Amino acid sequence: MATVVYKVGDDVSTDAVYPGRFMATVLPSETPQFCFADDKAFNTALQQKAFAPGSVIVAGQNFGCGSSREQAASTIKGHGLVVIARGFARIFLQNSINLGLRTVICPALEAEVGDEIALAEAHVRNVTRGADFPIVPLPAARQAIIDAGGLIAYTRTRLVAARAR
Amino acid sequence: MGMTVVQKILARASGLASVNVGDVVEPAVDMAMSHENTALVINQFLEIFKGTGLEPRVWDPSKIAVIFDHRVPAESAKTATNQKKVREFAGAQGIEKFHDVRGDAGGICHQVMAEEGYDRPGAVIVGADSHTTSHGALGAFAFGVGATEMASVWALGRAVNIQVPATIKVVITGRLHAAVTPKDVILHLVGLLTAEGGNFKVIEFHGDAIAGMPTSGRLVLCNMSVEAGATAGIVPADAETVRYLREEAGVTDPLDLVQPDADAVYDRVIEIDVSTLGPQIACPHTVDNVKGVAAVAGTAVHQIVIGSCTNGRLDDLEEAARRLKGRKIAKGVRMLVFPASWKIYKEAMTRGYLGDLMEAGAVIMNPGCGCCLGVHEGALGDGETALSTTNRNFHGRMGNPNSDVYLCSPAVAAASAISGVITDPRKEG
Ligand code: SF4
């Protein structure tokens, strides 16, 4: 079980997740400090490691729209959080898959900060409210990257095979 | 069953006779572009090779373009060090389409790609920047990726796990009013589709208004297609595409003018008659919060911005200069102009546009992304309002979460610079 620790609405951009002024910082080991930097309270709580790994960010439609900056995925992953959204913007979703940030598409999700959530194969269970919400599975092609442990590992295997030929 | 332009491009690049929407393909990449974030791409690229015993070499240096634009010249030691690392890597790998910080080449990556002739109809172009959709203006399938995906392309020469997208056909007809521009058309469309209406889809542009539109305007439409969430925007190549590539980009090799089949299947068809369209404006803090300018006319502004990969081209600067020549920017308003490339800067200088803008009180900045993403210069103060020809108005986009950004055409921006408040350019001279 995991707790919802943050809730945002529709169309949250990667500028909100990881403001442009920190873009010169690129390494996944360094990006977590600027996670949601413009929301001082949440950022401070993250810095103080107030949330257990696996804690949940709940979002509306089109989470991660805008800039393709990959820091937006690595900064959330660095805190061990999971994002459950009604929908994701394409590039952000792909970046999350590539980097191993756990993202769950759950179009009907209803949850508030403080709710307890259990993730099952096909649905998200809001334990606090006693309700289940179906998950939209990822296309098989994207699942292959997750199964490989991310795009770096996936490409490494492909590369070795291709250059051995 | 007929294919859309993007289906045809993906079929060709994947070595298949045809592809269906939803198929997963691995197209060969014709051009891979990145900017300052190349520093991260390099990092991920080297990671891929770790433990393989293989020497880290990019698959084809002639198909890689690296263009510095986001923070030029470097604003911090950190950026300068990143740029140095990229410069050394480009040299070692033999990447010749490398555009460093210099005045005889370069500018914003999306403009440089077009004017250098790196964009070709029928090509698969990936860019580590969301506005890579721009390059669809020249009939290419061009989409944005993250840095790790770019590293994977550098290693394999292919984009992996690409799902063939559905296409929305947008037919634009009619004649634009003199003070109404392609920017107003795309703002209107983004408002109509909403910020996610095009998510995972391609927008294919058709209609007589497109046929008569120069490449500079098509770049605006495709550039901002991503603001409706679209994977790509594309204008099927035509006579204007050939003219631009031959006359302006100096391309001499044969061109593959890929066309959609007459019986191509579209996700939906949207028809827009632009003859009655007025100037549009995207209000804070989402790009799809679009209104007619009249709805917010009179709103006081503190910073006017003309530039970016959306509206920093010669015709944009010409429009602004024509309106501001012999006049003065209102007191208390600052106007920042950053041309999209050095080529444009030079031409605007030769034609006197920059002089006219300076006489009016504008500050001419060096080509690059300037204040568009709030990391370099031109940040806003608390409570200030910007009116900008750029493409995003998210909270904090221009460097300060306690400010407002409105998005508009160069005509609206210039008319408002004179009055100091948001102004309909049809009312101004
Ligand atoms: S001008 Fe703005 S939108 Fe265009 S590439 Fe630069 S930062 Fe991105």
Side-chain angles (χ1 to χ4, degrees):
Chain A
M1 237 163 21
T3 311
V4 176
V5 296
Y6 196 52
K7 182 174 178 177
V8 293
D10 294 340
D11 302 323
V12 168
S13 75
T14 51
D15 275 275
V17 181
Y18 194 87
R21 57 188 189 278
F22 305 118
M23 269 171 71
T25 299
V26 296
L27 296 178
S29 54
E30 297 175 6
T31 58
Q33 58 186 310
F34 303 122
C35 191
F36 286 95
D38 287 334
D39 182 337
K40 291 238 164 57
F42 185 55
N43 179 266
T44 306
L46 286 171
Q47 298 303 326
Q48 293 168 345
K49 308 216 178 305
F51 312 121
S55 293
V56 174
I57 296 176
V58 162
Q61 314 267 17
N62 205 26
F63 183 81
C65 62
S67 162
S68 63
R69 67 191 66 159
E70 195 164 287
Q71 291 99 319
S74 71
T75 195
I76 299 176
K77 179 170 189 259
H79 291 287
L81 302 175
V82 175
V83 187
I84 309 179
R86 289 178 170 237
F88 292 93
R90 181 188 65 87
I91 302 176
F92 180 84
L93 181 65
Q94 190 63 54
N95 284 343
S96 302
I97 290 162
N98 294 345
L99 294 182
L101 164 66
R102 182 137 189 229
T103 44
V104 178
I105 305 170
C106 186
L109 179 70
E110 281 176 32
E112 296 299 329
V113 171
D115 286 3
E116 292 295 319
I117 295 282
L119 276 171
E121 181 88 356
H123 64 262
V124 173
R125 162 157 277 260
N126 186 328
V127 180
T128 306
R129 279 147 209 266
D132 290 343
F133 304 99
I135 290 174
V136 177
L138 289 175
R142 297 205 173 89
Q143 193 58 45
I145 295 174
I146 294 175
D147 294 343
L151 186 61
I152 289 194
Y154 180 87
T155 297
R156 186 183 292 137
T157 310
R158 296 279 306 264
L159 178 77
V160 170
R163 300 217 178 166
R165 260 190 263 127
Chain B
M1 204 159 58
M3 290 195 285
T4 64
V5 182
V6 165
Q7 279 176 281
K8 282 193 175 175
I9 293 173
L10 282 175
R12 190 267 311 152
S14 310
L16 300 166
S18 70
V19 295
N20 294 309
V21 170
D23 288 357
V24 175
V25 293
E26 300 203 328
V29 168
D30 298 296
M31 192 60 70
M33 179 213 82
S34 50
H35 46 72
E36 269 85 344
N37 59 8
T38 307
L40 180 54
V41 180
I42 293 169
N43 185 67
Q44 304 300 73
F45 179 73
L46 297 177
E47 274 299 311
I48 291 170
F49 281 78
K50 245 182 209 158
T52 63
L54 296 167
E55 195 201 340
R57 298 230 50 106
V58 299
W59 102 101
D60 185 346
S62 74
K63 291 181 176 168
I64 293 176
V66 175
I67 302 158
F68 286 158
D69 57 4
H70 274 53
R71 295 178 296 273
V72 287
E75 90 296 355
S76 66
K78 193 161 201 170
T79 294
T81 305
N82 280 348
Q83 289 178 347
K84 173 169 174 254
K85 180 173 151 189
V86 173
R87 192 173 290 123
E88 287 165 359
F89 182 89
Q93 295 276 336
I95 296 170
E96 288 181 7
K97 294 180 175 72
F98 171 55
H99 294 259
D100 208 336
V101 184
R102 47 188 298 157
D104 61 349
I108 304 175
C109 59
H110 306 302
Q111 177 60 24
V112 171
M113 289 280 288
E115 67 186 29
E116 290 288 333
Y118 299 164
D119 290 337
R120 302 296 171 84
V124 173
I125 298 175
V126 296
D129 189 277
S130 58
H131 290 102
T132 300
T133 53
S134 305
H135 315 279
L138 292 153
F141 175 44
F143 59 99
V145 299
T148 303
E149 203 165 345
M150 181 56 77
S152 176
V153 169
W154 278 9
L156 301 175
R158 294 188 170 273
V160 295
N161 287 318
I162 297 299
Q163 214 167 2
V164 178
T167 296
I168 300 172
K169 181 178 185 176
V170 175
V171 184
I172 299 180
T173 56
R175 252 182 82 110
L176 288 168
H177 179 280
V180 182
T181 68
K183 178 63 162 283
D184 301 294
V185 176
I186 190 65
L187 285 175
H188 175 66
L189 180 63
V190 171
L192 206 72
L193 282 170
T194 77
E196 67 161 353
N199 205 6
F200 294 98
K201 292 175 185 162
V202 170
I203 299 174
E204 196 181 280
F205 291 97
H206 291 267
D208 58 21
I210 300 295
M213 187 183 285
T215 297
S216 60
R218 297 172 177 190
L219 281 162
V220 177
L221 300 184
C222 293
N223 174 274
M224 285 191 71
S225 294
V226 72
E227 305 310 331
T231 301
I234 192 165
V235 177
D238 63 3
E240 161 59 14
T241 317
V242 176
R243 183 206 64 78
Y244 179 88
L245 288 171
R246 298 279 185 246
E247 291 174 19
E248 297 194 37
V251 171
T252 52
D253 23 309
L255 301 172
D256 180 11
L257 309 183
V258 183
Q259 300 299 311
D261 288 325
D263 59 346
V265 178
Y266 294 96
D267 182 67
R268 68 191 270 214
V269 179
I270 297 173
E271 295 185 25
I272 299 173
D273 178 0
V274 292
S275 14
T276 54
L277 186 74
Q280 305 288 298
I281 190 161
C283 302
H285 295 282
T286 56
V287 186
D288 62 357
N289 186 13
V290 176
K291 299 180 175 149
V293 163
V296 288
T299 305
V301 294
H302 307 94
Q303 178 161 297
I304 305 249
V305 176
I306 293 188
S308 86
C309 55
T310 312
N311 282 120
R313 275 175 281 277
L314 199 61
D315 46 359
D316 302 318
L317 301 181
E318 179 183 9
E319 170 87 45
R322 189 176 59 73
R323 287 176 179 274
L324 285 165
K325 188 177 176 145
R327 312 187 71 169
K328 287 288 179 191
I329 292 161
K331 263 215 174 86
V333 175
R334 51 190 190 272
M335 179 168 174
L336 309 178
V337 178
F338 59 109
S341 73
W342 282 104
K343 198 170 167 185
I344 292 167
Y345 188 112
K346 204 169 148 205
E347 186 62 27
M349 188 167 67
T350 306
R351 296 193 189 185
Y353 303 157
L354 300 187
D356 292 340
L357 291 167
M358 283 163 71
E359 279 302 319
V363 173
I364 313 295
M365 296 156 69
N366 66 285
C369 298
C371 32
C372 173
L373 78 166
V375 301
H376 194 234
E377 35 189 2
L380 296 167
D382 285 345
E384 284 194 325
T385 298
L387 181 64
S388 175
T389 70
T390 54
N391 48 40
R392 284 189 176 139
N393 60 352
F394 305 143
H395 256 295
R397 174 74 180 180
M398 223 169 255
N400 186 342
N402 305 313
S403 63
D404 288 340
V405 179
Y406 290 82
L407 306 175
C408 66
S409 71
V412 174
S416 307
I418 297 165
S419 58
V421 297
I422 294 175
T423 300
D424 187 328
R426 293 173 299 187
K427 300 227 165 68
E428 264 284 335

